Amino acid sequence: MAEELTPETPEEEQPIKQRKNGLYPGVSDELAENMTQGWADTELRDLEPVAQAGHAAARRAALSARFPGERLVVPAGNLKTRSNDTEYSFRASTEYAYLTGDQTEDGVLVLEPTADGHEATVHLLPRSDRENGEFWLSGQGELWVGRRHSLAEAEQLLGLPARDVRELPEALREATGPVRVVRGHDAGIEAALTDKVTAERDEELRVVLSEARLVKDDFEVGELQRACDSTARGFEDVVRVLDKAQATSERYIEGTFFLRARVEGNDVGYGSICASGPHATTLHWVRNDGPVRSGDLLLLDAGVETTTLYTADVTRTLPVNGRYTDLQRKIYDAVYEAQEAGIAAVRPGAKYRDFHDAAQRVLAARLVEWGLVEGPVERVLELGLQRRWTLHGTGHMLGMDVHDCAAARTEAYVDSTLEPGMCLTVEPGLYFQADDLTVPEEYRGIGVRIEDDILVTEDGNRNLSAALPRRSDEVEAWMAALQG
């Protein structure tokens, strides 16, 4: 990685100085002057708006109606240091991307109240300054990290007026009237508003934006389908290289799926769970450093995040050698039966909890049937005894966040009624820990989860991840075909 010169302070009027321990002692006046000259005009003109620009405008209008007369501030967030002078890859805050279609670090959307609603403006960093040398001396200058859009270009892409974000903190400090800000993304913006906002009012804004995403528009549904389709191809990639994973570790699986996510999307939507053998009983096994052995099960929970930040969330539990043992198949088929019951319960007008209850009832019945817990089933469910082995809820909302709409009020989420356009996961599982002495020894270390992304439709539901087989015999046939 090359070593750039960095400014001691971000203020434009102060000189940009070299980093400590840089190899060059300084910048001569002649070089500084030379670097200001001889550059072509690269301004982009006649740009088409981003695909979600119209949808984002409708979302801003709905937010405006919810908070008349109040200034609303929604930051994208800032780069975060990984170590010393390197940063993590930037991912814009969900609220900001949802309302703008933009993913630029340091961006801030401001909705200024007007007599008949709000005027929305996006505040961004402009092109790097070539006159003061920022573009080649600053660690975030365009010569080092790449070109960013000019404010004029951003206006064409987003359909919004664009202003220099460096001037925003002072403007916010001088602003009067009620203000709300989405917290947790930009400390500088929050500091500028520190005497103007309250935690309670800001939390209400976050809740409203979370609930706004409960029902997806047609653009969002299309992106979720795209994410699921890419994810299915990623699962196929993994099956094709299981021999290489056996020769190395779970990391080969993680890397294989990540390649698909980066080629067809932005990233993975969350840390991939590539859990082989007893690791499958750890719900969020993301270390992915264990062996992959023939005869074991591989629980792969992974999702591609699209370039517009919508993610899939899919799980399949696969026999590493392509064939389930009799006991693995018995446990897998029980989870499949539970998932079928859960998916069947997803329809408009149903209670959100119905799919969870339906799946849990099936799993409780199987645990009683196998003699692992004393029945009857109603007693097991009333006392929650099945949870020793089912562990987690059967699903969650899905969208720009893998656990989408998490800040929504309980009455608008888990205690609500399903509506067309909602998208949720159905993911029952059974997990028998390696040290669980309450189950027969042959069960220990087996973990199974099956997860699909289900869209509520006008007349029922649609499985967005149906491209991947689920039934045990179909899984085996699919793996055999992929492996030739």
Side-chain angles (χ1 to χ4, degrees):
M1 181 178 183
E3 191 176 38
E4 78 278 5
L5 303 177
T6 57
E8 194 170 78
T9 169
E11 296 299 326
E12 272 191 295
E13 64 272 13
Q14 298 192 18
I16 297 172
K17 298 180 180 179
Q18 74 179 94
R19 75 162 67 227
K20 185 178 181 181
N21 293 318
L23 292 175
Y24 288 103
V27 176
S28 68
D29 291 342
E30 289 78 6
L31 175 59
E33 176 63 22
N34 177 276
M35 291 296 287
T36 66
Q37 303 171 13
W39 303 103
D41 177 11
T42 61
E43 183 74 7
L44 303 176
R45 298 171 176 83
D46 301 320
L47 294 173
E48 292 295 323
V50 297
Q52 64 268 49
H55 296 278
R59 298 164 191 165
R60 294 192 300 271
L63 185 64
S64 172
R66 180 63 180 78
F67 295 106
E70 301 186 53
R71 181 177 288 102
L72 308 176
V73 182
V74 185
N78 315 125
L79 291 172
K80 290 183 172 59
T81 299
R82 181 180 185 273
S83 178
N84 188 24
D85 58 354
T86 62
E87 291 85 20
Y88 288 104
S89 296
F90 180 73
R91 202 276 196 184
S93 75
T94 293
E95 296 89 350
Y96 174 84
Y98 178 74
L99 292 170
T100 65
D102 182 52
Q103 298 179 37
T104 307
E105 65 264 24
D106 301 326
V108 183
L109 173 69
V110 178
L111 273 65
E112 291 282 349
T114 64
D116 56 355
H118 287 81
E119 180 181 355
T121 303
V122 63
H123 298 257
L124 304 167
L125 285 172
R127 293 285 306 279
S128 290
D129 193 322
R130 292 177 187 257
E131 289 301 315
N132 71 357
E134 178 209 350
F135 91 102
W136 72 287
L137 293 174
S138 168
Q140 293 302 316
E142 292 183 10
L143 188 143
W144 292 98
V145 299
R147 184 187 189 278
R148 55 182 178 251
H149 286 297
S150 70
L151 297 182
E153 291 168 355
E155 290 184 344
Q156 296 176 69
L157 291 168
L158 306 177
L160 282 168
R163 302 289 182 268
D164 190 334
V165 71
R166 293 170 297 186
E167 300 169 1
L168 181 60
E170 183 59 30
L172 292 177
R173 279 189 286 269
E174 296 176 356
T176 59
V179 184
R180 298 178 192 256
V181 63
V182 177
R183 298 192 182 198
H185 301 302
D186 193 319
I189 293 298
E190 290 179 36
L193 294 168
T194 186
D195 60 341
K196 306 176 191 301
V197 295
T198 67
E200 294 77 14
R201 287 163 53 78
D202 291 348
E203 177 62 15
E204 185 181 6
L205 173 60
R206 190 170 80 101
V207 168
V208 166
L209 285 170
S210 195
E211 292 181 8
R213 302 198 308 277
L214 283 167
V215 175
K216 271 59 181 178
D217 58 37
D218 57 353
F219 174 82
E220 294 178 288
V221 171
E223 290 301 291
L224 286 167
Q225 184 64 71
R226 184 174 289 109
C228 287
D229 293 344
S230 288
T231 297
R233 290 187 284 273
F235 274 66
E236 292 173 352
D237 296 339
V238 167
V239 171
R240 291 189 179 100
V241 300
L242 279 178
D243 58 332
K244 294 182 175 64
Q246 290 180 71
T248 52
S249 74
E250 294 163 340
R251 290 190 177 182
Y252 204 97
I253 295 167
E254 179 183 357
T256 297
F257 187 85
F258 179 70
L259 177 61
R260 177 67 64 171
R262 285 293 283 163
V263 168
E264 295 192 0
N266 176 60
D267 206 331
V268 290
Y270 53 94
S272 298
I273 299 167
C274 308
S276 182
H279 290 162
T281 66
T282 300
L283 295 184
H284 289 167
W285 178 260
V286 293
R287 298 180 203 171
N288 299 336
D289 59 0
V292 179
R293 298 189 177 100
S294 179
D296 283 347
L297 295 176
L298 166 67
L299 190 157
L300 177 58
D301 184 337
V304 171
E305 178 187 71
T306 66
T307 55
T308 57
L309 307 185
Y310 288 83
T311 186
D313 181 9
V314 178
T315 307
R316 291 293 183 269
T317 305
L318 311 172
V320 173
N321 64 10
R323 298 287 296 180
Y324 296 100
T325 67
D326 289 344
L327 179 59
Q328 290 169 350
R329 189 184 304 275
K330 181 176 81 167
I331 295 169
Y332 183 96
D333 287 350
V335 174
Y336 171 76
E337 182 186 353
Q339 195 201 27
E340 283 283 272
I343 293 173
V346 176
R347 58 183 179 274
K351 294 179 180 178
Y352 176 85
R353 294 179 183 270
D354 286 354
F355 76 95
H356 168 72
D357 293 341
Q360 291 292 300
R361 178 171 294 278
V362 171
L363 295 178
R366 293 294 162 266
L367 292 167
V368 170
E369 176 187 317
W370 300 339
L372 302 184
V373 64
E374 182 181 347
V377 170
E378 291 298 338
R379 168 184 172 272
V380 173
L381 293 171
E382 181 181 353
L383 300 176
L385 301 179
Q386 84 285 358
R387 292 179 61 186
R388 181 182 179 103
W389 303 285
T390 65
L391 296 181
H392 55 80
T394 309
H396 51 79
M397 291 294 183
L398 183 70
M400 296 184 79
D401 291 331
V402 65
H403 294 153
D404 208 27
C405 313
R409 294 166 299 156
T410 300
E411 58 266 32
Y413 193 153
V414 295
D415 289 340
S416 71
T417 298
L418 295 179
E419 301 177 36
M422 289 182 170
C423 187
L424 52 92
T425 66
V426 179
E427 51 174 313
L430 282 173
Y431 312 91
F432 300 103
Q433 305 303 315
D435 59 351
D436 187 350
L437 301 182
T438 71
V439 301
E441 184 175 0
E442 60 267 25
Y443 283 73
R444 298 172 198 165
I446 295 178
V448 174
R449 180 164 66 251
I450 312 172
E451 177 181 16
D452 284 272
D453 302 342
I454 309 299
L455 174 70
V456 183
T457 62
E458 294 288 346
D459 57 357
N461 68 67
R462 186 171 101 224
N463 186 347
L464 301 180
S465 47
L468 288 172
R470 295 183 294 126
R471 211 173 64 200
S472 57
D473 59 334
E474 293 176 343
V475 169
E476 289 175 334
W478 169 72
M479 293 182 68
L482 289 173
Q483 294 172 343

